[in-house]
Amino acid sequence: MRTQDRPIARQLMTLMMLTSAVVLAFTWAVFVSYEIYTTRLSTTAQVRTLAEVIATNSTAALAFEDTNDASEILSALRAEPTITLAGLYDRKGVLFATYPASITAADLPRSIPVDGYRFADNFLIGVEPVIQGDNARLGTLYLQADMQFLTSQLLAYSGMVVIGLGGSLLLAYLISRVLQRKISAPILALAETSRAISGRNDYSVRAPRVETAELAVLTEAFNQMLTHIQAQHLTLTRSEITLRTQLDRMDLLNKVSRAIGERQDLQSIFQVVLQTLETSAGAEAGCVLLRTENQPGWQLISVRTRRGSLTVPWPHEALLDDADLGGAVEPALKYESDIAGADGAFMQCLSRAGYRALIRAPLVAERKVLGILFSARSEPASFEEGAVDFVRQLSEHVALAAHQTGLYNDLQRAYQEVRQSQQTAMQQERLKALGQIASGVAHDINNAMSPIALYAEALLEREQNLTVQGREYLVTIQRAIEDVAETVARMREFYRRREPQLVLGRVNLNALVLQTAELTKPRWSDMPQERGFVVKLETRLAPDLPEIMGAESEIRDALTNLVFNAVDAMPDGGTLTITTRVAPAAQTLEEFAPQVCLEVTDTGIGMDEETRRRCLEPFFTTKGERGTGLGLAMVFGMIQRHSAEIQIDSVPQHGSTVRLIFAAA
């Protein structure tokens, strides 16, 4: 924690203790420095005196080269325990004698140091010359004194200083603890007052009076400042609350307007508004009444009550008149502080439900009252002025949104009506054109097919030498002529709006598939081979397939169109598969009836989503001039007349599947 963050009492205590510690540490440093200095001086003087005596006594031994005498003189160093080793050198620098006698030349310096005394590595090194009376130098005396005693002495002094420092700091702490209260107590009181004000935002707190003159003036000035701040704070708080409330409500109105603008459903708009009344205006219940269009009156559209509160027991389907609302609805907001005993069935219903305070805000758009927005509370006179004003502003936004939603819905209905009329007119025109085409085509086809039908029938009846295969070919031709005749008949009725009357019979789809395969063989076999590619036809017929009720010629004609479309979708050849199977049972009103499924699958170019969606429309084709756009349309007409179902699955470049689903007979 930083120093400025600590309490003032602790700061004063720290200041006093730090001052005492610094003073004592400085005193100890001076004392130790002086002790080291004096000890070194005395030790140097003592060693110097001893060295001079030894050097003087060693002149004779060096002069006469008497090593025994020299060793005996050096042995006098035993009287000084600090001397750890010594060496006597002759004038040539050769080691002459040592102390103690056990040391060797390796323990002494290789070369004689410079004369003098100096400290190195906790040792005192002394080099004293041996001089004869006529100043002739006979040799050199080398001494080494151990200064470890000085370190031990300093450690002892340090221990004494630490003990003294601790005792001094303790004494300083006890004294400062008593003295600092006279200064820190008033300052701490001001600090506690400031902390209380900043922590609770309570400007009524005042600092206690003190006796010290300077601190008394400071405390009085501080209390006066708090008085002025308290007055200004109250004023600013009231202004801030008012401004914040207004800003919050403006922001809320903006959000509500945005939420309303994103919706076109009146029910969802009113739910957003009622939820806003609950959360922002404190409404315990809210409801919206709208004026009905076809008959005079009001209808309850939306209701919302706070969870756990009372309800509004009024049926939505019941209409209210002005009398039920306690009088004619005025285009101005009305606030009733207590509706107990109010007139009108709806008002009495709210009163019986336990509501007392009520705000009734009309929804006015273009000077016309479209509806009423109610907001209620259970306590009388519980809506404050700000809440009433908020409901008034909210009702204006709701009225505008309701009016715009009504216009939007009217526009949507008009657009749908126009679109439906356009589609009906276009369909009528298409059917009319198809009818005109069909009339001419039917006449020409009948003229062209009549000789074929006549001669085919004559050959079957009169020609006795026909082969079995030739007779089968003539039967196939006659069946195809009959299908063409049925198709021509349907073309004549195509543009009429009535459903053709079908004569239904039992139809075996497996047999019908084989007949269609034989009828369309030139289209899927011979013609592709002439162009150099192969279309392979596969039939997958389910055994024991149930029969269906239908018109055999229509179903065969529809299957023929599907085969032709599949072959056209495979310009480079491929596989055409016709499948029959029993589909899962479909639930009807009476029972579960099995279904029979007929599928035509090709491996051709497929259809995109837009083509698949429009492929059943009359005259819609992707074949250009080669197509008429009536094949799948006629298949769809057959499906409708048989109350069946058609499903189309297709993926571009992966082929298509057309699935016809019939109810089993």
Side-chain angles (χ1 to χ4, degrees):
M1 185 172 59
R2 296 177 300 178
T3 304
Q4 56 268 29
D5 295 334
R6 296 177 180 177
I8 190 170
R10 185 174 297 178
Q11 293 188 36
L12 289 174
M13 184 73 69
T14 303
L15 182 61
M16 295 178 185
M17 297 293 292
L18 183 61
T19 303
S20 301
V22 170
V23 171
L24 290 174
F26 180 74
T27 304
W28 173 79
V30 172
F31 172 74
V32 170
S33 300
Y34 178 75
E35 184 66 23
I36 293 173
Y37 177 71
T38 55
T39 302
R40 285 190 171 187
L41 285 180
S42 61
T43 303
T44 302
Q46 184 177 355
V47 171
R48 185 190 300 274
T49 302
L50 182 59
E52 290 176 353
V53 172
I54 296 299
T56 301
N57 294 332
S58 300
T59 54
L62 288 174
F64 294 103
E65 297 180 356
D66 188 355
T67 57
N68 293 329
D69 189 18
S71 298
E72 185 177 354
I73 293 172
L74 290 177
S75 63
L77 294 174
R78 285 195 295 269
E80 182 57 46
T82 60
I83 304 299
T84 57
L85 59 86
L88 185 62
Y89 297 86
D90 58 13
R91 67 180 64 186
K92 296 179 181 180
V94 178
L95 184 61
F96 188 73
T98 61
Y99 171 80
S102 60
I103 67 174
T104 62
D107 298 324
L108 293 172
R110 295 181 179 180
S111 60
I112 301 174
V114 181
D115 294 346
Y117 296 86
R118 57 188 175 278
F119 292 90
D121 298 331
N122 209 20
F123 288 97
L124 174 60
I125 306 299
V127 179
E128 184 70 26
V130 179
I131 300 174
Q132 205 173 17
D134 54 358
N135 292 329
R137 184 169 184 142
L138 299 178
T140 303
L141 176 64
Y142 174 84
L143 296 176
Q144 179 176 302
D146 188 3
M147 298 300 292
Q148 188 64 35
F149 76 93
L150 178 59
T151 303
S152 301
Q153 186 177 0
L154 290 177
L155 290 176
Y157 288 160
S158 298
M160 295 175 60
V161 169
V162 170
I163 295 174
L165 180 62
S168 301
L169 290 177
L170 178 61
L171 183 61
Y173 172 76
L174 296 176
I175 296 174
S176 61
R177 185 177 179 84
V178 177
L179 297 179
Q180 58 88 19
R181 292 178 181 175
K182 294 184 178 181
I183 300 175
S184 63
I187 300 177
L188 288 175
L190 290 177
E192 289 296 331
T193 303
S194 301
R195 188 179 295 108
I197 294 172
S198 61
R200 302 193 302 266
N201 289 329
D202 183 9
Y203 293 95
S204 62
V205 180
R206 296 293 182 270
R209 298 180 60 85
V210 295
E211 298 178 357
T212 307
E214 293 82 355
L215 295 178
V217 173
L218 177 61
T219 303
E220 184 65 25
F222 183 76
N223 289 335
Q224 291 179 0
M225 179 184 66
L226 287 179
T227 302
H228 291 295
I229 293 176
Q230 183 180 11
Q232 295 177 358
H233 178 70
L234 292 175
T235 303
L236 291 175
T237 301
R238 295 191 188 98
S239 301
E240 182 182 0
I241 293 174
T242 303
L243 181 60
R244 185 178 301 169
T245 303
Q246 294 177 354
L247 290 176
D248 290 343
R249 287 176 175 170
M250 290 178 63
D251 181 64
L252 184 59
L253 285 174
N254 183 34
K255 292 180 180 178
V256 171
S257 300
R258 188 162 54 249
I260 291 175
E262 295 173 352
R263 293 167 170 81
Q264 297 298 336
D265 179 32
L266 281 177
Q267 191 64 245
S268 62
I269 291 176
F270 292 149
Q271 283 299 317
V272 171
V273 172
L274 295 178
Q275 182 180 3
T276 304
L277 287 176
E278 178 182 331
T279 57
S280 301
E284 298 178 15
C287 60
V288 178
L289 303 179
L290 288 184
R291 188 184 296 275
T292 56
E293 297 180 358
N294 300 327
Q295 51 185 329
W298 306 88
Q299 186 175 8
L300 185 63
I301 300 299
S302 184
V303 177
R304 181 181 176 90
T305 58
R306 183 180 296 175
R307 182 177 298 178
S309 68
L310 303 175
T311 60
V312 182
W314 189 273
H316 284 69
E317 63 275 5
L319 294 181
L320 299 92
D321 53 18
D322 292 344
D324 294 329
L325 301 179
V329 178
E330 301 176 357
L333 183 140
K334 185 177 181 180
Y335 171 45
E336 299 184 32
S337 59
D338 193 352
I339 61 173
D343 297 332
F346 187 73
M347 305 295 288
Q348 293 173 4
C349 175
L350 293 176
S351 178
R352 288 193 302 270
Y355 300 107
R356 290 292 180 266
L358 180 68
I359 300 177
R360 184 168 63 177
L363 307 179
V364 182
E366 296 183 354
R367 300 181 181 180
K368 181 180 178 181
V369 179
L370 305 178
I372 310 173
L373 176 63
F374 286 94
S375 181
R377 286 183 181 177
S378 58
E379 293 295 329
S382 55
F383 282 104
E384 64 275 7
E385 182 180 355
V388 176
D389 185 64
F390 175 73
V391 174
R392 179 186 60 79
Q393 297 178 13
L394 184 60
S395 65
E396 295 175 357
H397 289 72
V398 177
L400 181 60
H403 180 62
Q404 292 178 347
T405 302
L407 294 178
Y408 175 79
N409 292 334
D410 293 341
L411 182 61
Q412 284 288 98
R413 285 193 295 269
Y415 174 75
Q416 291 296 336
E417 292 174 359
V418 171
R419 185 177 180 182
Q420 186 175 1
S421 300
Q422 289 178 346
Q423 291 179 350
T424 303
M426 292 176 62
Q427 187 70 14
Q428 290 294 334
E429 290 297 325
R430 288 177 178 177
L431 293 176
K432 183 178 179 181
L434 180 60
Q436 293 174 354
I437 296 173
S439 297
V441 172
H443 181 269
D444 295 338
I445 291 178
N446 278 333
N447 292 336
M449 296 300 296
S450 295
I452 302 175
L454 178 61
Y455 289 126
E457 185 177 357
L459 288 173
L460 288 173
E461 292 180 357
R462 302 176 183 177
E463 183 63 41
Q464 302 298 327
N465 297 322
L466 288 175
T467 63
V468 176
Q469 186 175 8
R471 187 171 294 275
E472 289 179 356
Y473 287 163
L474 288 175
V475 171
T476 301
I477 292 173
Q478 191 176 36
R479 187 181 298 118
I481 293 172
E482 292 174 356
D483 290 345
V484 170
E486 292 290 337
T487 301
V488 170
R490 287 196 302 276
M491 288 176 62
R492 290 174 177 173
E493 302 293 335
F494 196 89
Y495 67 98
R496 299 183 183 179
R497 298 186 59 83
R498 64 180 179 85
E499 287 290 333
Q501 300 297 323
L502 295 179
V503 179
L504 302 181
R506 289 184 174 271
V507 177
N508 187 332
L509 286 183
N510 285 345
L512 199 62
V513 168
L514 296 177
Q515 294 173 7
T516 305
E518 185 66 25
L519 284 172
T520 58
K521 185 175 181 180
R523 187 68 175 270
W524 58 262
S525 177
D526 300 338
M527 295 174 61
Q529 289 180 7
E530 291 177 358
R531 295 195 298 268
F533 59 88
V534 176
V535 174
K536 181 181 179 183
L537 176 65
E538 294 182 359
T539 56
R540 300 173 182 176
L541 307 180
D544 300 327
L545 187 71
E547 293 182 336
I548 66 171
M549 297 299 295
E552 182 176 341
S553 61
E554 285 202 11
I555 299 175
R556 184 165 49 242
D557 189 37
L559 184 57
T560 300
N561 283 322
L562 293 179
V563 172
F564 287 170
N565 285 344
V567 173
D568 291 340
M570 297 184 291
D572 298 328
T575 302
L576 171 62
T577 305
I578 304 178
T579 305
T580 60
R581 58 184 174 85
V582 178
Q587 184 176 5
T588 64
L589 295 177
E590 299 178 355
E591 59 183 358
F592 286 91
Q595 294 180 325
V596 178
C597 180
L598 173 62
E599 292 182 351
V600 178
T601 303
D602 65 75
T603 58
I605 59 176
M607 296 181 288
D608 56 20
E609 183 61 27
E610 177 65 17
T611 303
R612 191 192 66 81
R613 184 177 61 83
R614 298 188 57 193
C615 64
L616 297 178
E617 295 181 6
F619 305 110
F620 176 80
T621 179
T622 58
K623 301 177 184 179
E625 296 181 355
R626 295 185 299 107
T628 62
L630 295 177
L632 286 179
M634 298 184 72
V635 173
F636 181 68
M638 182 277 295
I639 288 294
Q640 287 185 319
R641 287 189 291 274
H642 284 75
S643 300
E645 181 183 355
I646 183 171
Q647 298 175 356
I648 301 176
D649 300 331
S650 184
V651 178
Q653 307 305 324
H654 289 81
S656 303
T657 298
V658 180
R659 188 177 300 108
L660 307 181
I661 302 175
F662 301 89

